[in-house]
Amino acid sequence: MSNYVTAIGLDVHARSISACAFDPMTGEVSRARFGYDPASVAEWALGFESPKAVYESGPTGFHLCRALRALGVDCARRRRSKMHRPAADRGRKNDRRDAEWLARLLACRNVVEV
């Protein structure tokens, strides 16, 4: 497993990407929202120290993952079936919250990659 400092969660849709960067050492959280442009996401992600990104596996993220890897950002796909959420979070689903959840899971190394 690689040593990364900043965990980045990406909630990917056909026309938009919600991103959240989490540094587990400082607890700092940064959020951004992009149109579907891998270059913009890569530029934002590379502004952090040793970033690694993760997104929920699905048809909209395969191209993004390949593009981010080509642009120098380590990116992983997470198995949707392995995502366990607390019961209190089930009714409050939104893109920003999903991106932060993925970043926190990656930071604590609780991601089953596809």
Side-chain angles (χ1 to χ4, degrees), residues 2 21 29 32 36-38 45 51 55 64 68 72 76 81 83-84 87 97 99:
S2 65
V29 176
Y36 195 88
D37 181 19
Y55 78 96
L64 176 69
L68 287 178
S81 63
M83 181 181 273
H84 300 289
R97 194 179 303 255

Side-chain angles (χ1 to χ4, degrees), residues 2-55:
S2 65
N3 293 324
Y4 53 89
V5 174
T6 305
I8 298 175
L10 302 171
D11 191 49
V12 183
H13 297 282
R15 295 186 181 173
S16 67
I17 300 168
S18 293
C20 178
F22 176 66
D23 185 343
M25 299 300 195
T26 63
E28 186 176 346
V29 176
S30 299
R31 293 181 182 88
R33 188 162 174 85
F34 304 96
Y36 195 88
D37 181 19
S40 298
V41 177
E43 181 181 346
W44 179 76
L46 290 172
F48 297 103
E49 184 180 354
S50 303
K52 180 170 182 171
V54 66
Y55 78 96

Side-chain angles (χ1 to χ4, degrees), residues 9-10 18-19 31 36 38 41 43 53 66 75 78 93-94 99 103 106-108 112:
L10 302 171
S18 293
R31 293 181 182 88
Y36 195 88
V41 177
E43 181 181 346
R66 279 188 242 118
C75 187
R78 185 184 192 312
K93 185 174 179 343
N94 62 38
L106 182 62
C108 66
V112 177

